[in-house]
Amino acid sequence: MSEIIRSLQRDLNDFGEDLHLIGSEKLADRHAGEHPGNFGAGAMAVPATPEAAAAVVRWCAANGVPVVPQGGRTGLVGGGISRPGELILSTARLDRIEAIDPLARTVTLGAGVTLQALQEAAAGFGLTPGIDLAARGSATIGGMIATNAGGILAFRNGVMRHQVLGIEAVMPDGSLFSDLTRVLKVSAGPDIKQLLIGSEGAYGFVTRAVLKLDSFNPMRATALVGVRDAASALALIAHFRALPALQLEGAELMWARYFRDSAGERRFDLDWLEDETAAVLLMEVSAASEAEARDALEAGLADLWERHGLTSGIVAASLDQARRFWALREESDFIYRLHPAAPSYDVSLPPGALDDYAAGLTARLKTVDPGFDAYVYGHVADGNLHISVIGKSANAAALKEPIEDAVYTGIAESGGSFSAEHGVGTEKRRAYLTYGNPARRAVAQAIKAAFDPENLFNPGKVPFRAD
Amino acid sequence: MSEIIRSLQRDLNDFGEDLHLIGSEKLADRHAGEHPGNFGAGAMAVPATPEAAAAVVRWCAANGVPVVPQGGRTGLVGGGISRPGELILSTARLDRIEAIDPLARTVTLGAGVTLQALQEAAAGFGLTPGIDLAARGSATIGGMIATNAGGILAFRNGVMRHQVLGIEAVMPDGSLFSDLTRVLKVSAGPDIKQLLIGSEGAYGFVTRAVLKLDSFNPMRATALVGVRDAASALALIAHFRALPALQLEGAELMWARYFRDSAGERRFDLDWLEDETAAVLLMEVSAASEAEARDALEAGLADLWERHGLTSGIVAASLDQARRFWALREESDFIYRLHPAAPSYDVSLPPGALDDYAAGLTARLKTVDPGFDAYVYGHVADGNLHISVIGKSANAAALKEPIEDAVYTGIAESGGSFSAEHGVGTEKRRAYLTYGNPARRAVAQAIKAAFDPENLFNPGKVPFRAD
């Protein structure tokens, strides 16, 4: 057992069951999540109350021990990795849904609640968190706040920042920052809690939150449509978004190579798909009934078929088939089975720039290595693309920078971002320093120096103070 | 002409037409806006470019001259008042709509563009800024960012913070902070521009912005419905929000005294209204056609009539009549004709708490003076109430604090805010210090000290450093 755990047990034993302390032996029984380095510290504190969390942070501040916050450990960029001598602070036991107010459409909950647990609780009131993503089963609300998560509904409802009304957090000095406001409208001076959203633990450890909830309509229809490019997909999306009698619930574009390989891995029949299809759009709409949703989807597609050069399409005949459509998009782990350690990226651009970007990306990758290609897929209405570079040696250390440059070139200039929804973590450090916004970086550093002068909160991560 | 203007003319004459400098004589020809103290400084700089604005701020920093940002001067809480020795920095000439991207649904524009000018430009693409408020004709985007404006669509689309994608601003040291991102999804480290939203000029002067745009549907129907309380209004709203075939476009509640006096001032016929109606809900919905909107509105109201004890209602027969309905809610200046200098407030509470709060408010006011009453009206779906206290001596200085206490009691405890959308300015200083969130206040002060150590940006306003 580490010295840190022993000392915490001695100094904070008053908290009893409210504070679990876990050494490296017991950590070995737990799942380290998406990154093997997550459990590097070999020491974890799991508070069941915000007060216990605050006591741990005060102890760390007094003893100069760095704190690494962890939620569901679903992060893809190493934002939760920890090193010996640090202490992991987990939200796992801050997992209570405290109250759902269906009239105000708000929920008050602990940071360790998973998205799926919240979705299920909200569904009991005909409501939804208004945000959804593939890692719903393990991603926690606290982690989603820390990375300003996006997902598949952002084009309509906004990102996590837009769902957060209130936050309680432990600040680096161990004080409890509490702004658990339960209303949407607050114009009462600087909104400090915004600093805690999307800052990946640099400024504080979120313990509780109040989120907005939205209407949920299960009356849906789902289609896969072959399109000639992102522009056609966006024209379809614009058409359906402007129809008052239905709601667009999902719009995910998969370029052909991704779609065909995903379908192949899942033995999904592609007889319906024209050979020359450049990309496939997954669209889901809701309406007053399933029949209306389906009719409106089919009628809309028929209207647009010729004008937008649609090549082929199928509408799901059952909920089960709709789930299979979604699995083609969401179950992306086949990438790493086919192409182990394929380097992956998550960028956003103004949607109108997507086709030029995708064409340029392929060309730039081929100048790095003529055998390179990319899987490209993502939340097209937001201009958010996920990219995995494939090809022999695509994961070679010497090619890391040239490939990054091929991926990130032109994004900042277009008004986009080198990281759309996955965060910066440790893996996108160079991208942050090379392609991130310099004005944001400079001010973020100054605030870090003011809030956390000893650099004890998630060191080695944004905003990357020298450490 | 003031010494400040003379010195600026001498030191910054290189900017020529890009920088207008206005002394007190010429200011006398302009409209000072909602607060007589706005022009107290007697000196105004009106840059036509962000670079000219930055040069003015650098000059002010070098010469120790405080800067007071002004937009449309529609603020109701004195956030733009200025004093001799200060310099007003106006967004009036940063008034260009630079680009609308209908595919991405974004607009890039100067901070001095009025909301109405943006609404009109967006309408050309079938789009809307997604935010609307009564002062649309003069309120500017920069001022709306500085106060995190709310308005009548916030219940659906969120507040100004949720519409802002990018910001360019001059910081207190005269540097230009530029984060004109044009995408919704950015998870790329701390989002510093959030500090500029809702901070009323404490941390910087917004020069340009990128905003989201949303679909606009003109096919509408509008009704006035007598309800027995806020809870019945909220039940109606919940019913209509859950209907997939229409969109709720407005939901404004006016308690009886406000509604009757407003109608009386506008000679609006009230024969249809039952005597005992506690409040009147203005509702607007949109659908696939005007007929469908009207049918759905009438059918929905008929369904709910008995269950929610609706007492009386009318549906607008024409667009002109719908505008008259809205004028009853939006043209609130009759309050000050009938009750000069009636003290006014703008609070938010979780919607479920509104009825208890409104009843308690009346009771608390009567303990201050048995002759006191209040006009209460506002954006009920957000729990945002506007309140004007009326009665002989309601504006007496000695009663200021007791009345404030009557208005603000219980709001923070309910999870609400003493200021919902008007901001703090100078008039809500005591409320901020007494009823504001202490954790927010403390951190806001620390950041102010770091960003603006000489306290030159909008001094005497939030976060109220000693000055």
Side-chain angles (χ1 to χ4, degrees):
Chain A
M1 187 179 296
S2 81
E3 176 57 29
I4 289 172
I5 294 293
R6 248 195 311 272
S7 303
L8 276 165
Q9 281 175 339
R10 182 191 63 219
D11 296 345
L12 298 182
N13 69 358
D14 282 0
F15 283 95
E17 264 308 295
D18 280 354
L19 180 60
H20 289 179
L21 297 164
I22 300 175
S24 49
E25 320 77 48
K26 285 192 184 159
L27 275 180
D29 300 336
R30 302 197 171 207
H31 184 46
E34 290 288 340
H35 201 291
N38 283 339
F39 283 171
M44 179 189 278
V46 195
T49 65
E51 293 71 25
V56 169
V57 172
R58 278 195 303 275
W59 184 93
C60 288
N63 292 277
V65 173
V67 174
V68 178
Q70 287 188 3
R73 293 188 287 276
T74 53
L76 299 171
V77 293
I81 70 164
S82 63
R83 298 168 295 195
E86 299 176 340
L87 177 69
I88 299 164
L89 186 56
S90 165
T91 60
R93 295 176 70 217
L94 300 165
D95 62 346
R96 207 160 69 81
I97 297 178
E98 300 172 27
I100 290 181
D101 178 344
L103 208 55
R105 298 173 167 226
T106 60
V107 57
T108 307
L109 77 181
V113 173
T114 64
L115 175 57
Q116 189 171 325
L118 174 58
Q119 285 173 330
E120 288 167 3
F125 298 88
L127 296 170
T128 155
I131 191 162
D132 194 16
L133 41 81
R136 59 186 73 82
S138 32
T140 59
I141 298 305
M144 291 170 65
I145 290 173
T147 52
N148 191 23
I152 63 186
L153 284 168
F155 74 91
R156 202 179 74 196
N157 298 335
V159 293
M160 196 64 184
R161 185 182 304 284
H162 306 144
Q163 298 299 121
V164 173
L165 299 179
I167 286 181
E168 178 192 81
V170 183
M171 303 303 274
D173 64 359
S175 64
L176 204 58
F177 174 91
S178 181
D179 183 10
L180 287 169
T181 183
R182 290 168 51 207
V183 295
L184 178 65
K185 283 186 174 171
V186 179
S187 181
D191 191 2
I192 298 307
K193 67 178 167 292
Q194 300 299 328
L195 282 177
L196 296 162
I197 304 173
S199 300
E200 304 186 33
Y203 301 136
F205 173 77
V206 175
T207 48
R208 294 163 74 204
V210 182
L211 306 181
K212 277 167 65 179
L213 298 171
D214 295 295
S215 297
F216 178 76
N217 181 1
M219 300 300 170
R220 296 182 176 212
T222 312
L224 290 171
V225 187
V227 294
R228 62 187 168 201
D229 51 21
S232 334
L234 290 162
L236 256 68
I237 290 166
H239 174 86
F240 281 98
R241 288 181 89 173
L243 292 182
L246 51 77
Q247 275 267 35
L248 192 60
E249 301 281 352
E252 299 288 317
L253 192 63
M254 295 161 271
W255 268 257
R257 181 150 192 177
Y258 176 94
F259 185 74
R260 289 186 181 280
D261 283 6
S262 183
E265 282 292 297
R266 305 187 72 79
R267 297 166 199 267
F268 186 92
D269 175 49
L270 292 187
D271 282 354
W272 57 277
L273 191 67
E274 291 277 340
D275 284 347
E276 73 272 26
T277 301
V280 175
L281 177 65
L282 167 61
M283 256 203 312
E284 187 161 294
V285 301
S286 65
S289 69
E290 282 183 20
E292 275 185 49
R294 202 187 147 97
D295 290 351
L297 185 55
E298 287 176 351
L301 290 172
D303 276 357
L304 300 167
W305 203 261
E306 290 200 9
R307 190 171 0 139
H308 295 295
L310 306 183
T311 58
S312 39
I314 44 172
V315 176
S318 65
L319 187 57
D320 188 58
Q321 197 182 9
R323 287 204 184 107
R324 284 200 298 276
F325 289 7
W326 276 101
L328 294 172
R329 162 62 187 83
E330 293 199 327
E331 304 291 328
S332 54
D333 48 338
F334 75 88
I335 295 174
Y336 306 102
R337 285 197 302 274
L338 298 180
H339 307 277
S344 294
Y345 308 90
D346 159 52
V347 304
S348 56
L349 300 100
L354 289 177
D355 283 314
D356 283 352
Y357 171 77
L361 169 68
T362 309
R364 287 189 299 273
L365 286 174
K366 302 237 178 259
T367 70
V368 180
D369 184 317
F372 281 178
D373 196 4
Y375 287 133
V376 181
Y377 61 106
H379 315 291
V380 65
D382 301 320
N384 177 189
L385 298 183
H386 301 318
I387 295 163
S388 291
V389 177
I390 57 179
K392 203 160 167 276
S393 315
N395 59 350
L399 296 180
K400 190 169 182 293
E401 294 195 6
I403 292 177
E404 280 187 16
D405 294 338
V407 171
Y408 295 132
T409 290
I411 286 180
E413 295 74 7
S414 78
S417 174
F418 71 90
S419 174
E421 55 180 14
H422 292 169
V424 178
T426 47
E427 300 194 355
K428 305 302 179 199
R429 180 176 193 273
R430 175 174 175 269
Y432 178 83
L433 297 172
T434 311
Y435 294 100
N437 182 290
R440 275 171 72 139
R441 277 203 309 264
V443 181
Q445 284 262 15
I447 293 177
K448 178 74 171 175
F451 278 30
D452 184 15
E454 304 299 324
N455 196 20
L456 291 179
F457 256 56
N458 219 7
K461 322 279 169 60
V462 284
F464 297 106
R465 290 186 60 197
D467 41 28
Chain B
M1 189 179 294
S2 81
E3 178 55 31
I4 289 172
I5 295 294
R6 249 195 312 269
S7 306
L8 275 166
Q9 281 174 339
R10 182 191 62 219
D11 297 344
L12 298 183
N13 68 358
D14 283 359
F15 283 94
E17 263 308 295
D18 280 354
L19 180 61
H20 289 179
L21 297 163
I22 300 174
S24 49
E25 321 76 51
K26 284 191 183 160
L27 275 180
D29 299 337
R30 302 197 173 207
H31 184 45
E34 289 289 339
H35 201 290
N38 282 341
F39 283 171
M44 180 188 279
V46 195
T49 66
E51 292 71 26
V56 169
V57 172
R58 278 195 302 275
W59 184 93
C60 286
N63 292 276
V65 173
V67 175
V68 178
Q70 286 188 3
R73 294 188 286 276
T74 53
L76 299 171
V77 293
I81 71 164
S82 64
R83 298 168 294 194
E86 299 176 340
L87 177 70
I88 299 165
L89 186 56
S90 166
T91 60
R93 296 176 71 218
L94 300 165
D95 62 347
R96 206 161 68 82
I97 297 177
E98 300 171 27
I100 289 181
D101 178 344
L103 207 57
R105 298 177 168 223
T106 61
V107 57
T108 307
L109 77 181
V113 172
T114 64
L115 175 57
Q116 190 171 326
L118 174 58
Q119 286 172 330
E120 288 167 3
F125 298 88
L127 297 170
T128 154
I131 192 163
D132 195 15
L133 41 81
R136 57 186 74 81
S138 30
T140 59
I141 298 305
M144 290 170 65
I145 290 173
T147 53
N148 192 22
I152 64 184
L153 284 168
F155 75 92
R156 204 180 72 196
N157 298 335
V159 293
M160 196 65 183
R161 184 181 305 283
H162 306 144
Q163 299 298 121
V164 174
L165 299 179
I167 286 182
E168 178 192 81
V170 183
M171 303 303 274
D173 63 1
S175 64
L176 204 58
F177 173 91
S178 181
D179 182 11
L180 286 169
T181 182
R182 291 167 52 209
V183 293
L184 178 65
K185 283 187 176 171
V186 180
S187 181
D191 191 1
I192 297 307
K193 66 177 169 294
Q194 300 299 329
L195 282 177
L196 296 162
I197 304 172
S199 300
E200 304 186 34
Y203 301 136
F205 174 77
V206 176
T207 49
R208 295 163 74 205
V210 182
L211 306 181
K212 277 167 63 179
L213 299 171
D214 295 294
S215 298
F216 179 75
N217 181 1
M219 300 300 170
R220 296 184 177 211
T222 313
L224 291 171
V225 187
V227 294
R228 62 186 169 201
D229 50 22
S232 334
L234 290 163
L236 255 70
I237 290 166
H239 175 86
F240 282 98
R241 290 181 88 173
L243 291 181
L246 51 76
Q247 274 268 34
L248 192 61
E249 301 280 353
E252 299 288 317
L253 193 64
M254 296 162 270
W255 268 257
R257 182 151 191 176
Y258 177 94
F259 185 74
R260 289 184 180 281
D261 283 7
S262 182
E265 282 291 297
R266 304 188 73 79
R267 298 166 199 267
F268 186 92
D269 175 48
L270 291 186
D271 282 355
W272 56 278
L273 190 67
E274 290 277 340
D275 284 348
E276 72 273 25
T277 302
V280 175
L281 177 66
L282 167 61
M283 255 202 314
E284 188 160 293
V285 300
S286 65
S289 68
E290 283 183 20
E292 275 185 50
R294 202 187 146 97
D295 290 352
L297 185 55
E298 287 176 351
L301 290 172
D303 277 357
L304 299 168
W305 203 261
E306 289 199 11
R307 190 169 3 137
H308 294 297
L310 307 182
T311 59
S312 39
I314 45 173
V315 176
S318 67
L319 187 58
D320 187 58
Q321 196 182 10
R323 286 203 184 108
R324 284 201 297 276
F325 289 6
W326 275 101
L328 294 171
R329 161 62 186 85
E330 292 199 328
E331 304 291 328
S332 54
D333 48 338
F334 75 88
I335 294 173
Y336 307 101
R337 286 197 302 276
L338 298 179
H339 307 276
S344 294
Y345 308 90
D346 159 51
V347 304
S348 56
L349 300 99
L354 289 176
D355 283 314
D356 282 352
Y357 171 77
L361 169 68
T362 310
R364 288 189 299 273
L365 287 173
K366 300 236 179 258
T367 69
V368 180
D369 184 317
F372 281 178
D373 197 4
Y375 287 132
V376 181
Y377 61 106
H379 316 292
V380 64
D382 301 320
N384 176 192
L385 298 182
H386 300 319
I387 296 163
S388 290
V389 177
I390 56 179
K392 202 159 169 276
S393 315
N395 59 350
L399 296 181
K400 190 170 181 293
E401 293 194 7
I403 292 176
E404 279 187 16
D405 295 337
V407 170
Y408 295 132
T409 290
I411 286 180
E413 294 75 6
S414 79
S417 174
F418 72 91
S419 175
E421 57 179 13
H422 292 170
V424 178
T426 48
E427 299 195 355
K428 306 300 179 201
R429 180 178 193 274
R430 176 176 174 268
Y432 178 82
L433 297 172
T434 311
Y435 295 100
N437 182 291
R440 274 170 74 138
R441 277 203 309 265
V443 182
Q445 283 261 15
I447 294 177
K448 179 74 170 173
F451 278 30
D452 184 15
E454 303 301 324
N455 196 19
L456 290 180
F457 255 56
N458 219 5
K461 322 280 168 59
V462 285
F464 297 108
R465 290 187 60 197
D467 40 27

Short mmCIF file of all heavy atoms in Angstrom, two decimals, chain B residues 432-454:
data_model
loop_
_atom_site.label_atom_id
_atom_site.label_comp_id
_atom_site.label_asym_id
_atom_site.label_seq_id
_atom_site.Cartn_x
_atom_site.Cartn_y
_atom_site.Cartn_z
N TYR B 432 -26.58 42.19 -5.27
CA TYR B 432 -25.44 41.32 -5.61
C TYR B 432 -24.66 40.96 -4.34
O TYR B 432 -24.30 39.79 -4.14
CB TYR B 432 -24.55 42.06 -6.60
CG TYR B 432 -23.29 41.35 -7.04
CD1 TYR B 432 -23.32 40.38 -8.04
CD2 TYR B 432 -22.05 41.66 -6.46
CE1 TYR B 432 -22.15 39.74 -8.46
CE2 TYR B 432 -20.88 41.03 -6.88
CZ TYR B 432 -20.94 40.07 -7.88
OH TYR B 432 -19.79 39.45 -8.29
N LEU B 433 -24.40 41.97 -3.51
CA LEU B 433 -23.57 41.73 -2.33
C LEU B 433 -24.35 40.99 -1.24
O LEU B 433 -23.76 40.28 -0.43
CB LEU B 433 -23.02 43.06 -1.80
CG LEU B 433 -22.09 43.78 -2.79
CD1 LEU B 433 -21.73 45.17 -2.29
CD2 LEU B 433 -20.83 42.95 -3.04
N THR B 434 -25.67 41.14 -1.23
CA THR B 434 -26.47 40.53 -0.16
C THR B 434 -27.07 39.20 -0.59
O THR B 434 -27.12 38.25 0.19
CB THR B 434 -27.62 41.48 0.24
OG1 THR B 434 -27.08 42.79 0.46
CG2 THR B 434 -28.33 41.00 1.49
N TYR B 435 -27.56 39.14 -1.83
CA TYR B 435 -28.31 37.96 -2.28
C TYR B 435 -27.59 37.18 -3.38
O TYR B 435 -28.08 36.15 -3.82
CB TYR B 435 -29.71 38.37 -2.75
CG TYR B 435 -30.56 38.92 -1.63
CD1 TYR B 435 -30.74 40.29 -1.45
CD2 TYR B 435 -31.17 38.05 -0.72
CE1 TYR B 435 -31.51 40.79 -0.42
CE2 TYR B 435 -31.93 38.54 0.32
CZ TYR B 435 -32.10 39.91 0.47
OH TYR B 435 -32.86 40.39 1.51
N GLY B 436 -26.45 37.69 -3.85
CA GLY B 436 -25.71 36.98 -4.89
C GLY B 436 -24.97 35.78 -4.32
O GLY B 436 -24.86 35.62 -3.11
N ASN B 437 -24.45 34.98 -5.21
CA ASN B 437 -23.74 33.76 -4.80
C ASN B 437 -22.34 34.13 -4.30
O ASN B 437 -21.53 34.67 -5.06
CB ASN B 437 -23.66 32.81 -5.99
CG ASN B 437 -22.98 31.50 -5.63
OD1 ASN B 437 -21.80 31.46 -5.37
ND2 ASN B 437 -23.76 30.45 -5.57
N PRO B 438 -22.03 33.84 -3.04
CA PRO B 438 -20.74 34.27 -2.48
C PRO B 438 -19.54 33.59 -3.15
O PRO B 438 -18.48 34.22 -3.30
CB PRO B 438 -20.84 33.90 -0.99
CG PRO B 438 -22.00 32.97 -0.87
CD PRO B 438 -22.89 33.18 -2.05
N ALA B 439 -19.70 32.34 -3.56
CA ALA B 439 -18.58 31.64 -4.21
C ALA B 439 -18.26 32.31 -5.55
O ALA B 439 -17.09 32.54 -5.89
CB ALA B 439 -18.93 30.16 -4.42
N ARG B 440 -19.30 32.63 -6.32
CA ARG B 440 -19.10 33.34 -7.58
C ARG B 440 -18.42 34.68 -7.34
O ARG B 440 -17.49 35.06 -8.07
CB ARG B 440 -20.44 33.60 -8.27
CG ARG B 440 -20.94 32.48 -9.13
CD ARG B 440 -22.37 32.71 -9.57
NE ARG B 440 -22.51 33.73 -10.60
CZ ARG B 440 -23.31 33.62 -11.66
NH1 ARG B 440 -24.04 32.52 -11.84
NH2 ARG B 440 -23.43 34.58 -12.52
N ARG B 441 -18.92 35.42 -6.35
CA ARG B 441 -18.38 36.76 -6.06
C ARG B 441 -16.89 36.71 -5.77
O ARG B 441 -16.11 37.51 -6.29
CB ARG B 441 -19.10 37.37 -4.85
CG ARG B 441 -20.40 38.02 -5.13
CD ARG B 441 -20.75 39.05 -4.05
NE ARG B 441 -20.66 38.54 -2.71
CZ ARG B 441 -21.67 38.04 -2.00
NH1 ARG B 441 -22.89 37.99 -2.52
NH2 ARG B 441 -21.49 37.60 -0.78
N ALA B 442 -16.50 35.77 -4.91
CA ALA B 442 -15.10 35.72 -4.48
C ALA B 442 -14.17 35.42 -5.65
O ALA B 442 -13.14 36.08 -5.83
CB ALA B 442 -14.94 34.66 -3.38
N VAL B 443 -14.53 34.44 -6.47
CA VAL B 443 -13.66 34.09 -7.59
C VAL B 443 -13.68 35.20 -8.64
O VAL B 443 -12.64 35.52 -9.25
CB VAL B 443 -14.06 32.73 -8.19
CG1 VAL B 443 -13.11 32.36 -9.33
CG2 VAL B 443 -14.04 31.64 -7.13
N ALA B 444 -14.84 35.82 -8.85
CA ALA B 444 -14.93 36.93 -9.82
C ALA B 444 -13.98 38.07 -9.43
O ALA B 444 -13.34 38.68 -10.29
CB ALA B 444 -16.36 37.42 -9.93
N GLN B 445 -13.90 38.35 -8.14
CA GLN B 445 -12.97 39.38 -7.63
C GLN B 445 -11.52 39.00 -7.90
O GLN B 445 -10.72 39.84 -8.32
CB GLN B 445 -13.16 39.49 -6.10
CG GLN B 445 -14.40 40.25 -5.68
CD GLN B 445 -14.07 41.69 -5.32
OE1 GLN B 445 -13.01 42.18 -5.65
NE2 GLN B 445 -15.02 42.35 -4.67
N ALA B 446 -11.20 37.73 -7.65
CA ALA B 446 -9.81 37.30 -7.84
C ALA B 446 -9.41 37.41 -9.32
O ALA B 446 -8.30 37.84 -9.64
CB ALA B 446 -9.64 35.86 -7.35
N ILE B 447 -10.34 37.06 -10.20
CA ILE B 447 -10.03 37.15 -11.63
C ILE B 447 -9.93 38.62 -12.07
O ILE B 447 -9.07 38.99 -12.86
CB ILE B 447 -11.08 36.38 -12.46
CG1 ILE B 447 -10.96 34.88 -12.14
CG2 ILE B 447 -10.90 36.63 -13.95
CD1 ILE B 447 -11.99 34.02 -12.82
N LYS B 448 -10.80 39.46 -11.50
CA LYS B 448 -10.72 40.89 -11.82
C LYS B 448 -9.34 41.44 -11.42
O LYS B 448 -8.72 42.18 -12.19
CB LYS B 448 -11.83 41.63 -11.06
CG LYS B 448 -11.85 43.14 -11.25
CD LYS B 448 -12.37 43.56 -12.61
CE LYS B 448 -12.61 45.08 -12.68
NZ LYS B 448 -12.97 45.49 -14.06
N ALA B 449 -8.87 41.04 -10.26
CA ALA B 449 -7.57 41.54 -9.80
C ALA B 449 -6.46 41.10 -10.76
O ALA B 449 -5.50 41.84 -10.99
CB ALA B 449 -7.29 41.04 -8.38
N ALA B 450 -6.61 39.90 -11.32
CA ALA B 450 -5.58 39.40 -12.24
C ALA B 450 -5.67 40.06 -13.62
O ALA B 450 -4.65 40.39 -14.22
CB ALA B 450 -5.71 37.88 -12.39
N PHE B 451 -6.90 40.27 -14.11
CA PHE B 451 -7.09 40.80 -15.47
C PHE B 451 -6.96 42.32 -15.53
O PHE B 451 -6.55 42.86 -16.54
CB PHE B 451 -8.51 40.48 -15.97
CG PHE B 451 -8.70 39.11 -16.53
CD1 PHE B 451 -7.95 38.03 -16.07
CD2 PHE B 451 -9.65 38.86 -17.50
CE1 PHE B 451 -8.16 36.76 -16.57
CE2 PHE B 451 -9.86 37.60 -18.01
CZ PHE B 451 -9.11 36.55 -17.54
N ASP B 452 -7.40 42.96 -14.50
CA ASP B 452 -7.57 44.42 -14.54
C ASP B 452 -7.13 45.00 -13.20
O ASP B 452 -7.92 45.56 -12.45
CB ASP B 452 -9.07 44.73 -14.80
CG ASP B 452 -9.35 46.21 -14.96
OD1 ASP B 452 -8.40 46.99 -15.17
OD2 ASP B 452 -10.54 46.59 -14.86
N PRO B 453 -5.81 44.87 -12.93
CA PRO B 453 -5.32 45.24 -11.60
C PRO B 453 -5.58 46.72 -11.27
O PRO B 453 -5.72 47.07 -10.10
CB PRO B 453 -3.82 44.92 -11.66
CG PRO B 453 -3.48 44.75 -13.10
CD PRO B 453 -4.74 44.30 -13.77
N GLU B 454 -5.63 47.57 -12.29
CA GLU B 454 -5.87 48.99 -12.01
C GLU B 454 -7.37 49.31 -11.95
O GLU B 454 -7.74 50.47 -11.78
CB GLU B 454 -5.21 49.86 -13.09
CG GLU B 454 -3.71 49.64 -13.23
CD GLU B 454 -2.95 49.93 -11.94
OE1 GLU B 454 -3.35 50.87 -11.22
OE2 GLU B 454 -1.98 49.18 -11.65
#
